Amino acid sequence: TVCDFIFRLKGILEFACQLDNPNGVQSQSTISKSFQDLRSKVTSKNIVFTVCNSPVLIWPNTGFQSSVESLTEASACGDILQWIESDDGGSKKSSKKKDKKKSGPTVVNMKLLFEVTEPAGNTAPSLIRVSTQQHCVKMPLPLDCALSVTTDERLETVCTGLVEALNKQLADMEEVVLQYRKGSSFLVPQPFHFQLPEPAGLITVVYPAGVPDSQLQAVREDLHRKFELPCDRPYLRRANAFHFPDAAYKDGYLRNPHIHLNPPNIEDAKLYLVQGVYSYHHYMQDHVDDNGWGCAYRSLQTICSWFQQQGYVETAVPTHTQIQQALVDVGDKEPRFVGSRQWIGSIEVQAVLNQLLGVTSKIMFVSQGSELATKGRELANHFQTEGTPVMIGGGVLAHTILGVVWSENTGQIRFLILDPHYTGGEDLQTITDKGWCGWKGPEFWDQNAYYNLCLPQRPKSI
Amino acid sequence: MGRSYFVDEAVEEYLVGIQTAPGSCVTGLLAGQSSPQRDFVVLAVQTPHRESEGQPKASRGVSPLDDIDVEWVTEHAKQVSRMLPGGLCILGLFLVTPPELSKDAQNALKRLIFAMDKYITKGRLWELSEEDVTDQVTLHICSKTKKTVCKTFDVKDPKSSAKPADWKYQTGVSSSWPMLSCSVAVDVQIPMTGSSSDITDKCMKDGLRRWAKQIEAACCLINGRHALDDSELVSGQKKNPKTTHRQTLPARIFVSDEQAELDERSSALVQLCSGSVKVRGVVHCRAYIHNNKPKARHAAQAIKRDIINTVCSRVEMFLEDLLINEGSHKGLCSGQQALPRRVFAPVPVSGLSVCDYMFPDESTADVAERLKEMLDCKTPEEDIDTSLEGNQLFSNVCGSEITESPSDDSSKHVFSEVQTENPKNQKAPQYYAGVAITAAVALLATATSLLYFNE
């Protein structure tokens, strides 16, 4: 089933408790009691969901009431769209479709609020003072629940589902808080969403803030077992967290520009593509003028971004200087290499991937560009099993291969190329229209030059 | 182009009727509402006579203008501002002088207006927004000719000079002003990191300020509609001077626990406290909004500020009362103590509500007395509405278990010891907190830590 909507509810609930003795036996039950109070709060009549960019308020725990007359218990959840003002201002219906492909489910963002008016009683306030020495603990809990639904699902069901999700998330948070607490030191429990293969779908896992992925191996192993996920590739590292379609990437790099392209229509051919997410790195980015010499560096950066975003490494994408330094460190280059404008090739790319990321790569050599057309099977296998971007360097140019369309029978082949020689800004339209990311035929390669390909291998880890 | 003040005829009547002893001056307050385009004055109150403890103060200066008791004027202003519901505030001062003092009156007014603004706004838990009007009006009236001179000062600019302003009388300025109302559940937990009263004051201030920020940032529905952006407050009633029916618009407030500075943390904030104070209960709030095309968000701002002010005022009053009666060394004791509860009364003619705060052992007679003294308002006791906030059903017992059930006999004894003296007991220098003027005088007499929320 394709889900048309993701309803996402976010809100901050303050966890507060007073501990007489943080190391005493009582403290656990005090903490649990505070979480119980929070769970009561989210099931009370006072909670309200407000739909962002709209005048809609929903009281989910009062037999469904909304601030807008036309939205009732019987309303389909899709009805909510007409009330939401889209970000590009103007038309109510979002007509901003990405040109060629569907942009995925529509995200409806909601915020969790509490009503302080319409109280149950009317007793005037008092001051209540407690004079015992206590540890006062305060922690904002970053609640974040998401539900994938189809258009015809009732809005009321969605809201009930979100309240249940809040309850469950608070229970998960309590578990994490108790597990990682040391005396009066509490780690903030943070929710992460992951899109798992069906039937699991969109799930949420709570991880303790500040504890690196490397220390959460056992937690992931449990979850891999629970959701029957393969044990050799990461699904649940923080970097694997689901990226909501409506969220911009803060770093400004384009992600997967290739998804906006239609693959060439070759008879009897199959499509073999890079798996997961990479960022497009190219000339002139990051205020580095590497026009004319940096293409292999940029291809390497694209590959590093892939390993980072699939959760294999936590290190940031390396700069030109860091790449050069790595080569000096492994003894491949002299120290004066750092700061120079020297080209690098596939072998250097392989060395840096190993040195900085601990990633091994296979090298494929073709003595003539015309031979590349015969490498369909190898490339298809690579994208099927490893699914990593491939760096290809030859003569004086480097490129990144993101996939192939290849027919086993006819041998016809096309290459999906990401070109690092682009010097413009992060303009998706230009990049796809002008072929900076595009499908090329075998004639794209210099038929007489030799080429080396670096095929990075996925580490077997979760 | 100066500001325009639209003044209710009832105010004109009041000002004209002020009696001045020959050669002397009378000061007073002007209250109402400011909007970006124009201002409305709905109430005028002359400064009450100060009961001095001993000998009347000898004349200090050459002119009666120098004898104006600035401290007393500003204290009166502060007391009155606590009695005004949301949307209404002190807009300025008037000064009645004999003709020979008219030319020096402006300087006196300028001194007073700056001093008053500074005193009233101290300890306020909400910040002025860019749209707030910071002009205050000074009205000089000649006691012989009754001629008025109206000027404004920008009290946020110390270098501000007097700007001319229009002063126009109208009937029923506020007769069609809608009134927003709501009851708000308050539940604020404030950790105490020390036990001296200075630290208690600071902790209370910080704790209440955090809560105030949540209220300011809260989502607000007025009469079922979001109070957002630039939309007008649609009260559904055309302005008609003939109708005296005042619409009541229910307000609903929705908060989030979001605190920008805390949200980036990866661990909990833990403080070792010597204890904590909780402010818990329900407050009833009201705010008026003018009906000259008001924006919904200004109405929302008015009711939110009333919510914040009412909690802040009663905590202030409670602590001031504690200070007067027990001295600064005692501070808050353990257990549950009732804060004064809010009651409302109509002002004659305009029918606008003003409010007051009743301590647990006070009665509507005390409220009526304060209304007379502070607002120069004769309100029959039966018109004072005490039903909006419920009486706290327990005795103020210190050092006992926190309980909401009535205490037994033994603790009643403790109760009476700690409570303030019976008002009929004339023992000086203790002042019963209920009687506003004497309490206010006592406040001025207490030198240090007088000003709660001292910077």
Side-chain angles (χ1 to χ4, degrees):
Chain A
T1 48
V2 173
C3 282
D4 313 294
F5 288 100
I6 298 179
F7 278 79
R8 187 179 189 188
L9 175 68
K10 288 170 78 167
I12 304 279
L13 251 192
E14 188 179 72
F15 167 84
C17 74
Q18 290 77 43
L19 298 176
D20 293 332
N21 175 9
N23 296 307
V25 290
Q26 278 302 313
S27 51
Q28 177 157 331
S29 59
T30 309
I31 294 166
S32 292
K33 167 84 177 39
S34 290
F35 270 102
Q36 181 55 46
D37 289 344
L38 290 176
R39 285 198 289 272
S40 299
K41 207 171 170 188
V42 302
T43 45
S44 76
K45 288 185 164 27
N46 293 326
I47 71 154
V48 160
F49 296 162
T50 166
V51 179
C52 299
N53 296 327
S54 87
V56 181
L57 263 78
I58 298 172
W59 284 257
N61 294 330
T62 57
F64 193 87
Q65 271 181 53
S66 97
S67 63
V68 165
E69 265 175 41
S70 60
L71 287 176
T72 65
E73 332 181 309
S75 300
C77 65
D79 290 350
I80 213 164
L81 281 186
Q82 54 181 291
W83 295 99
I84 302 178
E85 254 182 53
S86 58
D87 275 341
D88 52 5
S91 62
K92 284 189 182 141
K93 280 200 169 54
S94 179
S95 53
K96 194 175 116 174
K97 277 194 161 54
K98 302 235 191 311
D99 331 22
K100 286 135 188 173
K101 290 267 194 124
K102 184 174 179 301
S103 50
T106 309
V107 180
V108 177
N109 289 301
M110 297 164 93
K111 222 175 140 189
L112 177 67
L113 295 176
F114 292 90
E115 178 162 14
V116 289
T117 40
E118 315 271 313
N122 77 339
T123 309
S126 322
L127 284 183
I128 304 162
R129 176 157 164 95
V130 169
S131 303
T132 49
Q133 195 176 66
Q134 305 174 307
H135 289 80
C136 280
V137 182
K138 280 200 213 287
M139 181 163 64
L141 301 178
L143 295 169
D144 188 344
C145 296
L147 275 185
S148 278
V149 293
T150 52
T151 322
D152 50 332
E153 187 73 82
R154 287 200 323 183
L155 192 52
E156 190 212 0
T157 316
V158 171
C159 290
T160 313
L162 285 171
V163 173
E164 269 169 31
L166 281 174
N167 243 300
K168 169 154 194 316
Q169 192 161 101
L170 282 169
D172 289 344
M173 287 182 164
E174 179 183 344
E175 219 181 288
V176 167
V177 166
L178 288 174
Q179 187 178 353
Y180 289 89
R181 175 180 78 103
K182 288 189 174 58
S184 63
S185 164
F186 289 67
L187 295 180
V188 175
Q190 292 174 330
F192 290 86
H193 304 293
F194 300 97
Q195 181 80 49
L196 298 184
E198 294 296 327
L202 193 61
I203 66 152
T204 310
V205 180
V206 176
Y207 288 131
V211 176
D213 282 333
S214 49
Q215 288 177 29
L216 295 168
Q217 179 85 11
V219 175
R220 289 196 300 279
E221 280 168 7
D222 271 347
L223 290 168
H224 273 244
R225 264 193 296 275
K226 177 176 170 190
F227 291 107
E228 296 179 343
L229 298 170
C231 295
D232 63 348
R233 51 180 58 187
Y235 282 86
L236 298 169
R237 289 180 165 249
R238 288 182 176 99
N240 301 121
F242 179 66
H243 178 81
F244 286 84
D246 61 335
Y249 286 97
K250 288 186 201 140
D251 56 23
Y253 298 114
L254 289 177
R255 283 355 191 235
N256 292 19
H258 72 272
I259 60 171
H260 304 285
L261 303 173
N262 283 321
N265 207 348
I266 308 281
E267 200 183 311
D268 211 24
K270 287 210 192 97
L271 177 63
Y272 305 89
L273 277 183
V274 65
Q275 299 170 31
V277 182
Y278 62 87
S279 309
Y280 181 21
H281 290 265
H282 58 78
Y283 278 170
M284 308 303 284
Q285 279 177 342
D286 321 312
H287 309 294
V288 174
D289 182 351
D290 58 335
N291 193 346
W293 60 272
C295 44
Y297 293 80
R298 297 296 183 179
S299 177
L300 174 53
Q301 286 179 333
T302 296
I303 294 171
C304 292
S305 81
W306 187 94
F307 280 95
Q308 186 208 28
Q309 292 178 82
Q310 263 50 247
Y312 288 102
V313 297
E314 282 167 28
T315 46
V317 170
T319 61
H320 291 59
T321 310
Q322 288 168 331
I323 292 169
Q324 290 174 334
Q325 186 60 50
L327 287 167
V328 171
D329 291 345
V330 298
D332 189 74
K333 298 277 186 258
E334 295 293 306
R336 59 186 149 80
F337 178 65
V338 180
S340 73
R341 296 160 142 227
Q342 283 191 45
W343 289 325
I344 56 174
S346 317
I347 307 299
E348 285 84 359
V349 169
Q350 178 190 45
V352 174
L353 285 174
N354 186 47
Q355 172 69 2
L356 292 181
L357 272 56
V359 164
T360 54
S361 318
K362 291 194 177 141
I363 299 287
M364 188 198 293
F365 170 76
V366 294
S367 52
Q368 282 177 283
S370 48
E371 250 180 74
L372 272 165
T374 67
K375 297 295 182 186
R377 184 178 305 278
E378 282 90 338
L379 289 169
N381 280 345
H382 170 82
F383 286 112
Q384 262 191 328
T385 45
E386 307 302 326
T388 58
V390 171
M391 177 266 176
I392 177 167
V396 295
L397 297 176
H399 290 90
T400 311
I401 305 178
L402 297 175
V404 290
V405 157
W406 174 67
S407 165
E408 198 170 344
N409 298 331
T410 66
Q412 285 218 60
I413 188 168
R414 299 284 182 279
F415 303 88
L416 179 57
I417 306 293
L418 187 67
D419 197 336
H421 301 91
Y422 172 63
T423 53
E426 311 318 313
D427 179 358
L428 183 63
Q429 194 73 39
T430 306
I431 288 163
T432 49
D433 281 354
K434 303 278 189 228
W436 294 103
C437 176
W439 288 96
K440 316 285 181 192
E443 64 283 358
F444 177 73
W445 310 109
D446 182 340
Q447 301 298 293
N448 300 312
Y450 68 85
Y451 286 92
N452 268 327
L453 291 82
C454 175
L455 290 79
Q457 307 293 297
R458 280 184 189 256
K460 303 267 177 287
S461 72
I462 63 168
Chain B
M1 232 192 63
R3 298 201 69 82
S4 299
Y5 287 82
F6 289 80
V7 187
D8 199 284
E9 278 179 354
V11 170
E12 181 183 19
E13 245 182 76
Y14 183 87
L15 292 174
V16 158
I18 290 179
Q19 313 277 352
T20 49
S24 72
C25 307
V26 173
T27 53
L29 305 172
L30 296 163
Q33 183 168 117
S34 275
S35 77
Q37 288 80 33
R38 51 179 74 165
D39 309 272
F40 306 94
V41 179
V42 297
L43 188 68
V45 189
Q46 69 178 38
T47 309
H49 178 63
R50 178 178 189 166
E51 288 168 23
S52 0
E53 293 156 41
Q55 306 291 353
K57 276 206 173 81
S59 232
R60 271 179 290 154
V62 188
S63 128
L65 284 175
D66 296 327
D67 281 345
I68 294 175
D69 190 343
V70 180
E71 268 186 345
W72 185 237
V73 172
T74 58
E75 182 58 42
H76 176 231
K78 186 168 187 118
Q79 299 288 331
V80 168
S81 64
R82 281 178 179 165
M83 300 171 101
L84 297 174
L88 298 180
C89 57
I90 309 279
L91 290 184
L93 294 166
F94 66 82
L95 175 63
V96 184
T97 69
E100 58 272 20
L101 295 173
S102 292
K103 55 179 175 41
D104 295 324
Q106 285 308 319
N107 280 334
L109 278 168
K110 183 173 180 178
R111 267 194 351 256
L112 275 174
I113 204 93
F114 276 89
M116 181 182 80
D117 179 74
K118 191 166 167 198
Y119 190 60
I120 295 184
T121 56
K122 204 167 210 170
R124 199 157 62 187
L125 292 179
W126 45 268
E127 300 294 329
L128 284 176
S129 71
E130 274 181 16
E131 292 180 297
D132 280 306
V133 172
T134 52
D135 288 86
Q136 291 267 296
V137 66
T138 58
L139 187 75
H140 171 250
I141 306 169
C142 174
S143 57
K144 185 163 165 206
T145 64
K146 303 296 178 189
K147 185 162 160 279
T148 60
V149 174
C150 175
K151 292 200 194 287
T152 59
F153 290 91
D154 180 353
V155 287
K156 293 308 172 203
D157 173 12
K159 298 203 193 89
S160 167
S161 54
K163 289 185 283 275
D166 280 338
W167 187 261
K168 298 183 236 234
Y169 290 109
Q170 269 190 348
T171 27
V173 165
S174 65
S175 57
S176 307
W177 286 7
M179 182 182 84
L180 286 76
S181 104
C182 60
S183 287
V184 179
V186 178
D187 192 355
V188 188
Q189 172 97 17
I190 302 170
M192 292 282 138
T193 52
S195 53
S196 77
S197 67
D198 285 343
I199 301 214
T200 304
D201 280 1
K202 183 175 187 309
C203 290
M204 292 294 290
K205 170 189 189 181
D206 290 343
L208 287 176
R209 186 176 277 135
R210 273 186 76 208
W211 166 81
K213 282 202 162 69
Q214 284 181 354
I215 298 288
E216 273 189 296
C219 168
C220 179
L221 281 188
I222 298 178
N223 213 19
R225 293 167 70 110
H226 248 282
L228 286 173
D229 52 64
D230 263 353
S231 60
E232 272 187 28
L233 180 72
V234 177
S235 55
Q237 189 175 351
K238 283 202 163 24
K239 185 173 176 177
N240 185 345
K242 292 207 177 74
T243 42
T244 49
H245 168 67
R246 192 189 300 286
Q247 247 198 333
T248 303
L249 302 176
R252 295 179 85 157
I253 308 279
F254 307 89
V255 302
S256 141
D257 280 347
E258 223 157 324
Q259 297 264 300
E261 68 280 2
L262 280 183
D263 289 351
E264 296 309 312
R265 298 177 62 94
S266 60
S267 60
L269 185 66
V270 183
Q271 279 174 294
L272 185 57
C273 307
S274 59
S276 63
V277 171
K278 206 182 256 224
V279 180
R280 185 200 269 169
V282 176
V283 294
H284 186 78
C285 302
R286 286 187 179 170
Y288 290 98
I289 190 81
H290 66 88
N291 57 344
N292 182 39
K293 297 207 184 116
K295 295 239 179 359
R297 67 168 193 278
H298 291 145
Q301 190 178 68
I303 190 79
K304 285 180 187 177
R305 286 175 176 176
D306 188 66
I307 298 169
I308 298 170
N309 286 342
T310 185
V311 171
C312 177
S313 293
R314 55 186 95 194
V315 171
E316 268 182 358
M317 293 170 71
F318 181 86
L319 292 176
E320 282 163 5
D321 185 54
L322 216 56
L323 202 64
I324 295 171
N325 292 294
E326 295 168 37
S328 57
H329 59 275
K330 258 232 167 124
L332 290 172
C333 57
S334 290
Q336 193 164 3
Q337 294 174 279
L339 289 171
R341 67 188 174 109
R342 198 180 198 186
V343 301
F344 289 87
V347 158
V349 182
S350 70
L352 292 170
S353 288
V354 288
C355 69
D356 190 28
Y357 294 91
M358 247 169 68
F359 278 84
D361 45 1
E362 291 187 312
S363 68
T364 49
D366 300 305
V367 174
E369 210 178 318
R370 274 198 291 275
L371 288 173
K372 179 77 192 74
E373 285 173 352
M374 290 286 127
L375 294 178
D376 209 359
C377 233
K378 280 201 186 70
T379 307
E381 267 183 66
E382 54 269 20
D383 285 354
I384 298 173
D385 191 350
T386 60
S387 67
L388 296 155
E389 288 187 2
N391 218 331
Q392 298 96 327
L393 299 167
F394 61 91
S395 312
N396 274 2
V397 191
C398 280
S400 78
E401 288 296 307
I402 298 162
T403 171
E404 298 208 18
S405 54
S407 52
D408 61 5
D409 278 321
S410 56
S411 41
K412 262 205 171 69
H413 176 69
V414 174
F415 167 87
S416 57
E417 272 191 281
V418 175
Q419 271 302 295
T420 54
E421 295 286 333
N422 190 294
K424 297 196 175 48
N425 186 333
Q426 292 304 317
K427 197 169 124 183
Q430 280 202 309
Y431 294 90
Y432 181 54
V435 180
I437 290 185
T438 49
V441 170
L443 274 176
L444 288 176
T446 321
T448 55
S449 56
L450 151 73
L451 296 170
Y452 173 64
F453 292 152
N454 224 338
E455 293 301 326

